[in-house]
Amino acid sequence: MAKKLLEIKNLKQYFNEGRPNMVKAVDDVSFDIYEGETLGLVGESGCGKSTTGRTILRLYDATDGQVLFNGENVHGRKSRSELKRLNRKMQMIFQDPYASLNPRMTVGDIIAEGIDLHGLAKNSKERMARVHELLETVGLHKDYASRYPHEASGGQRQRIGIARALAVDPDFIIADEAISALDVSIQAQIINLMKKLQREKNLTYLFIAHDLSMVKYISDRIGVMYFGKLVELASADELYNNPMHPYTKSLLSAIPIPDPETERVRKRTPYDPNVHQYTPEDLPEIREVKPGHFVYCSKRELEQLQASH
């Protein structure tokens, strides 16, 4: 079995803590990511999935909980050199390929930022050779190194973003809605590129998205978030074929089917969070209903789910 690369334990990220307008963006979330796998994290806008990714990378300081990368606490006290080493091993591909690239810098300089920061090239010739290699790795001609971001399309800019993430040879990459701003045909190309790079470089991904249909094609396992909580976690096939949490069922029912006749009569499954009635003695938490399949539920709901599955 693959080893755990990342362990997220009871992670909390609260904004405006202690104030009347406090937001529990990430509320007691726990999951593991194994070396070489892709974990998909899905949910509607505002559910906390992007905040989870940013907190893992320490772009936000966690309110509580732990993020362990190869057993090392990401949010513990760190020296500048320790932070630099961690940052090299954990990278992010951002949602907006337009806003995440500095328009005043050439593509070559954008990609080489990490190379410069970590001193990965001995001289300018080696630096440029590395930039050209990275451009070709993501399917772009080396001539792009002298261009500016505005001269590239959305899909090309996202490839540049991927090249920038790969420049420091990371072990773990968070793709935060990395394909949501792209056309469907371009989305498929970026997904295929990411899968190819994962095989070649043994990369581990956290793939954050709101589109369940696309997540299935890249993910080994999928976690579903709702209002800061992880409500279900299972293998991709298991989640699609045997969803257990009502919110997951609602999300799946909203995926359009490319058949007008079927789509016309198909019924969506609404989700009403108020149907759950809990007592102080039996509060919900993430529980393993069957091997590898976790659901946010109370003990009573756990017994019902195990009896019906």
Side-chain angles (χ1 to χ4, degrees), residues 8-265:
I8 289 84
K9 298 181 177 181
N10 308 108
L11 187 65
K12 295 179 182 178
Q13 180 61 63
Y14 297 171
F15 297 110
N16 303 319
E17 191 178 8
R19 299 178 187 175
N21 62 339
M22 181 174 72
V23 176
K24 296 182 177 182
V26 182
D27 192 15
D28 202 22
V29 166
S30 299
F31 58 89
D32 300 325
I33 304 178
Y34 293 89
E35 205 171 65
E37 83 161 337
T38 298
L39 178 73
L41 197 58
V42 298
E44 60 194 87
S45 295
C47 73
K49 56 190 186 297
S50 289
T51 303
T52 299
R54 288 167 181 261
T55 306
I56 288 171
L57 285 189
R58 203 171 165 162
L59 296 178
Y60 298 137
D61 287 327
T63 303
D64 199 6
Q66 284 187 311
V67 177
L68 302 179
F69 180 76
N70 273 327
E72 181 180 355
N73 189 2
V74 172
H75 287 270
R77 288 177 69 89
K78 295 275 183 289
S79 67
R80 187 183 293 269
S81 62
E82 286 173 327
L83 279 173
K84 199 170 172 182
R85 176 175 48 80
L86 266 176
N87 291 340
R88 182 180 170 187
K89 292 298 179 184
M90 305 166 72
Q91 288 287 304
M92 179 174 272
I93 302 166
F94 294 93
Q95 174 177 0
D96 190 345
Y98 297 88
S100 64
L101 304 179
N102 189 333
R104 294 186 179 90
M105 293 173 67
T106 64
V107 169
D109 286 338
I110 288 169
I111 293 172
E113 272 189 296
I115 296 171
D116 297 340
L117 181 65
H118 294 278
L120 302 179
K122 295 172 186 172
N123 50 51
S124 58
K125 184 178 178 183
E126 188 176 301
R127 175 185 187 266
M128 191 50 69
R130 179 71 176 136
V131 167
H132 289 164
E133 179 190 339
L134 285 160
L135 282 167
E136 289 173 3
T137 298
V138 298
L140 294 174
H141 194 274
K142 65 181 183 180
D143 288 352
Y144 272 86
S146 59
R147 299 185 189 183
Y148 286 86
H150 73 268
E151 298 178 82
S153 67
Q156 289 166 340
R157 291 184 202 197
Q158 202 56 288
R159 289 173 187 267
I160 293 164
I162 293 170
R164 176 174 59 184
L166 291 174
V168 293
D169 292 322
D171 295 327
F172 174 62
I173 293 177
I174 295 179
D176 182 16
E177 298 272 15
I179 60 171
S180 63
L182 307 175
D183 292 340
V184 174
S185 60
I186 307 300
Q187 287 182 358
Q189 291 175 20
I190 297 298
I191 291 284
N192 290 335
L193 172 63
M194 289 183 67
K195 290 176 82 168
K196 173 176 173 283
L197 292 170
Q198 184 174 40
R199 288 192 302 270
E200 292 174 353
K201 299 178 180 294
N202 193 33
L203 292 169
T204 303
Y205 293 140
L206 175 62
F207 190 86
I208 297 169
H210 61 266
D211 183 354
L212 257 170
S213 58
M214 188 58 79
V215 169
K216 186 180 183 222
Y217 292 107
I218 193 171
S219 302
D220 300 294
R221 292 184 301 138
I222 297 174
V224 179
M225 285 191 73
Y226 179 76
F227 270 77
K229 294 285 189 184
L230 185 69
V231 297
E232 191 157 2
L233 176 66
S235 70
D237 287 338
E238 170 73 11
L239 192 88
Y240 269 74
N241 298 325
N242 188 25
M244 295 188 189
H245 195 278
Y247 178 66
T248 308
K249 293 177 181 179
S250 177
L251 275 184
L252 288 168
S253 75
I255 297 174
I257 296 170
D259 178 1
E261 292 301 319
T262 306
E263 191 65 21
R264 191 175 293 119
V265 298

